[in-house]
Amino acid sequence: MKNINLHSADVPKGKLEQRSLIIQEFLQEYERSIHQYKSKSEFVKYYIERNSNDQSKSPLVKEYENILKNEEAIRANRRKRKKRKVDVEKNDREKREKKTPFLYGYSSLMAKIAWFESSDESKRNEILNSAKIYDEWGGERTDVSVVTNETLDCLLSLVLDFPTMNASQYTCYLNSKYGPHFEKNISVRTFYSFLRMLKLTVKKASFAPPNRNSVGLRIFRVAWSMFMETILKEKNILLGFIDEAAVISNQNKSYGRAFAGLTPVINCPLKKVKMSILSVVFPGFGTLYKFCHKSVDGAEYAQFLSDVNEFARKYICNNQVEILIIEDNCPMHNTKCVEEQIERLKISLIPIVPYSPALNGVVEGYFGFIKLKDIQAKGDTELALRCFIEESWKKISNEKFTVEIAQNLYREWVSRLKECIAGKPLVSEHIKINDKINIDNLIDISVSRIIKQSE
């Protein structure tokens, strides 16, 4: 009878293959020594007893147990890295003890003997002389994964190029005629599984979308920042920063920093928007804002620009001052009604570099300041809810967001321009502010006011 050479390169070393080798060894011993026992039952019991003892167990069994120990160590390490809370009840729950410490039970081994004896002579010789038993009762699974290398390439490109999209949108593109799964679609759950495998996460930004730092955008920012520095040296310019945000109602604080959440419109489904805020920050003077029902469209944005211009010309500067406002790249800023309004008002709006919200950091900082406060959302009806949010917003904005805070945000914005010109990547968090930055030009503008003296 041919024995197994454990040191042979042809012997499989996987867990499943190792179990096959153990069964092969068991059947070889059964064929060789069954005549020494009164019955098959006695032989099986003796074999289990011998392989349950560390001193007498087979080397194959020891090797298989080492594989199990290594797998358990890996699982324990994963649980430790995930830092899950300890479930006391689960830890106290004892596992069902096996009747024997051996990996096969009495019934399983008896079934293997019955299977062996039911085979013909050629099949028995094949079982006893080869280590391919697992081909008969298991073996390697057929690869049925729908995700290919082309899928992973497309997935990485989407996540890096469009970081603000959600998982459903990514999956929709992969399943479209432009993606690799047009004929064989994948689910959102599969998409999430492979994102976790690649150690990537898809989540909403805290307020502004993340800044991208590709080579092309960094070059664009250098040119944009140098252009803005040139403009800032000019006199008689009223500089402002404009943006819009959506207000959503949260069930409790576990879903946001406050009972009323504040998020960019781009990050929020329109059906969840309770109201929107249009704001413009003039760092030298203060903030103007307007509440809008639901989301903001081009017509409301154009009207807000008109209101801002009227207020600025009446209370801040005269008609000789150029009003210059920095805005982001929201599509509604390019609508026909907005373009016509800008032409009529004779004001200047400069869009920031795409995927660079920090370049609009003064008004982004204003929204971030409001978001960190506890905006309560109380009321049984939609109207009462909006009214309460408006009152909370006015109180925080008028009493806590001071001109000094706005000027510090301006200094930080100018510091970002200098870092962009130096070629540094753009970051969303706060940076070190240069206190020597002059802010006198923010208020050094001409005014024409007629004061009626009382007699």
Side-chain angles (χ1 to χ4, degrees), residues 99-118:
K99 294 182 179 180
T100 63
F102 184 54
L103 66 105
Y104 285 111
Y106 174 83
S107 299
S108 298
L109 293 180
M110 291 296 290
K112 293 299 178 185
I113 292 176
W115 166 71
F116 175 74
E117 292 184 339
S118 64

Side-chain angles (χ1 to χ4, degrees), residues 235-237 313 317-323 446-448:
K235 296 182 179 179
N236 229 22
I237 292 179
R313 298 296 186 193
C317 63
N318 59 19
N319 292 333
Q320 280 69 48
V321 175
E322 180 179 0
I323 298 178
S446 60
V447 295
S448 298

Side-chain angles (χ1 to χ4, degrees), residues 234-265:
E234 301 291 333
K235 296 182 179 179
N236 229 22
I237 292 179
L238 177 62
L239 180 64
F241 300 82
I242 192 171
D243 198 7
E244 60 280 337
V247 179
I248 59 176
S249 179
N250 295 321
Q251 295 178 352
N252 53 54
K253 284 194 175 182
S254 63
Y255 293 96
R257 289 197 177 104
F259 289 105
L262 183 65
T263 179
V265 176

Side-chain angles (χ1 to χ4, degrees), residues 2-4 24-32 128:
K2 183 178 178 180
N3 294 324
I4 300 175
Q24 184 189 36
E25 182 187 57
F26 166 74
L27 293 175
Q28 286 177 343
E29 185 172 342
Y30 170 78
E31 187 77 1
R32 184 173 56 249
L128 296 174

Side-chain angles (χ1 to χ4, degrees), residues 257-283:
R257 289 197 177 104
F259 289 105
L262 183 65
T263 179
V265 176
I266 192 174
N267 280 347
C268 182
L270 297 182
K271 63 181 181 180
K272 292 186 177 181
V273 176
K274 297 296 181 183
M275 59 191 302
S276 299
I277 312 292
L278 272 168
S279 298
V280 60
V281 178
F282 295 111

Side-chain angles (χ1 to χ4, degrees), residues 4 17 26 39 44 69 78 98 174 194 199 204 212 223 233 235 239 241-242 348 352 373 378 382 402:
I4 300 175
E17 292 85 345
F26 166 74
S39 63
V44 171
K69 290 179 182 179
R78 287 175 181 170
K98 296 178 63 176
L174 292 173
F194 277 87
K199 297 183 179 179
K204 293 181 180 179
R212 288 177 57 193
K233 293 178 182 178
K235 296 182 179 179
L239 180 64
F241 300 82
I242 192 171
S348 301
I352 61 175
K373 306 304 177 183
K378 297 180 180 179
E382 191 81 10
T402 61

